[in-house]
Amino acid sequence: MTTASARGAWLLAQRILAIAVLLGLWQAVVASGVLPSMVPGVGAVASAVAASLVNPAFWQALGMTLLAALAGWLIATVVGVVLGLLIGSIRFLDRSTSILIDFGRSFPVLALMPVVIMLLGSNSRMEIVVVALSALWPILIQTSYGARRQEAAVADTVAVFRIPPMLRFRRVLLPGAMPFIATGVRISSAISILVAVGVEVISQAPGIGRQITLMQQNASWDLAFAYLLFTGFVGWTLAVLLQRLETRALTWKRQTDD
């Protein structure tokens, strides 16, 4: 076994051990009676997860949540990248929109839900709009930061050789901003799923969030916890896939840093 393989195996073992310790603490606290009786144990949640995997209603609800989350995330990605590149590359826009961007990223988007529901109704379109508004800011901020963060030597070379705007965009601006864009997209992917579930819990729009609320109303706490854990697992899986895609796509950046 090579050194890299041994290091990867040891890291995997550490992560498994951490999860096992966390589950053990969870079961011990539940068994001690400190938590309310509605909190299920590890075994009950595991059984509920297994039952959910063969339940068509669960997969239908999960699919609706993922569809709304991915749609809002894609809209936020397109809008955030385009606006971020414009704002970051044009100094006037960068200065004039700084207050608006700081306000927008600090504003609780879920507070707009009553207005959005009044305009669009409690449906998937409303959910997509709220997700897009929530996921927009990490992408916009990261992209604008990457667009204006250029090395002095590169900026001087562009100015001296009078490189055309489109060539500058393709060869200088976009490659330089790509690592920051990738980070913003990865962060917003987790936000989109969390917001989608939160919107469904609050508005009772169809999806996994509504199913969680129904399970709580029926006192099926094991299923409610199972849905929550599975949603978190889906978000984690998406983040891992994006991390690997980023690593493959930006191999040149890693080699440059090394």
Side-chain angles (χ1 to χ4, degrees):
M1 180 180 295
T2 63
T3 304
S5 300
R7 190 179 304 167
W10 172 239
L11 179 60
L12 178 61
Q14 287 178 316
R15 291 175 176 175
I16 294 176
L17 178 62
I19 295 174
V21 170
L22 180 61
L23 293 178
L25 289 175
W26 178 2
Q27 185 62 41
V29 172
V30 171
S32 66
V34 175
L35 296 178
S37 58
M38 65 182 65
V39 180
V42 176
V45 174
S47 300
V49 169
S52 301
L53 294 178
V54 296
N55 185 1
F58 167 75
W59 290 107
Q60 182 180 6
L62 181 62
M64 298 179 71
T65 299
L66 290 179
L67 182 61
L70 292 177
W73 177 48
L74 290 176
I75 293 173
T77 299
V78 173
V79 176
V81 169
V82 172
L83 291 180
L85 291 175
L86 286 175
I87 292 173
S89 58
I90 302 175
R91 185 170 299 180
F92 170 75
L93 289 178
D94 190 17
R95 291 197 302 263
S96 60
T97 59
S98 59
I99 296 178
L100 293 176
I101 292 177
D102 290 338
F103 176 78
R105 69 176 179 178
S106 304
F107 188 84
V109 178
L110 290 179
L112 293 175
M113 276 190 57
V115 178
V116 181
I117 291 176
M118 183 178 62
L119 294 175
L120 300 177
S122 181
N123 50 40
S124 59
R125 288 189 302 166
M126 175 274 301
E127 186 177 354
I128 291 172
V129 170
V130 177
V131 170
L133 291 175
S134 301
L136 171 66
W137 302 105
I139 303 173
L140 175 60
I141 293 170
Q142 285 290 116
T143 303
S144 61
Y145 179 76
R148 66 173 177 263
R149 185 182 177 274
Q150 292 185 7
E151 297 181 1
V154 176
D156 293 340
T157 302
V158 171
V160 169
F161 288 94
R162 298 181 181 180
I163 297 177
M166 286 305 299
L167 183 60
R168 173 178 175 268
F169 173 80
R170 290 189 292 108
R171 297 295 186 181
V172 179
L173 182 61
L174 188 58
M178 276 303 298
F180 299 91
I181 295 174
T183 300
V185 168
R186 190 175 68 251
I187 294 173
S188 65
S189 66
I191 293 176
S192 64
I193 294 178
L194 294 176
V195 172
V197 175
V199 168
E200 292 164 358
V201 169
I202 297 174
S203 68
Q204 291 300 286
I208 200 71
R210 186 170 186 271
Q211 292 299 315
I212 292 173
T213 303
L214 293 176
M215 293 304 105
Q216 292 174 341
Q217 292 175 351
N218 295 332
S220 301
W221 300 105
D222 52 349
L223 286 173
F225 272 80
Y227 286 5
L228 284 172
L229 290 178
F230 202 84
T231 304
F233 176 77
V234 170
W236 172 79
T237 302
L238 181 59
V240 170
L241 292 176
L242 288 174
Q243 179 67 59
R244 293 186 176 181
L245 180 61
E246 177 184 344
T247 301
R248 289 178 177 271
L250 300 178
T251 304
W252 58 269
K253 180 65 171 56
R254 189 175 65 253
Q255 292 173 349
T256 303
D257 294 340
D258 294 340

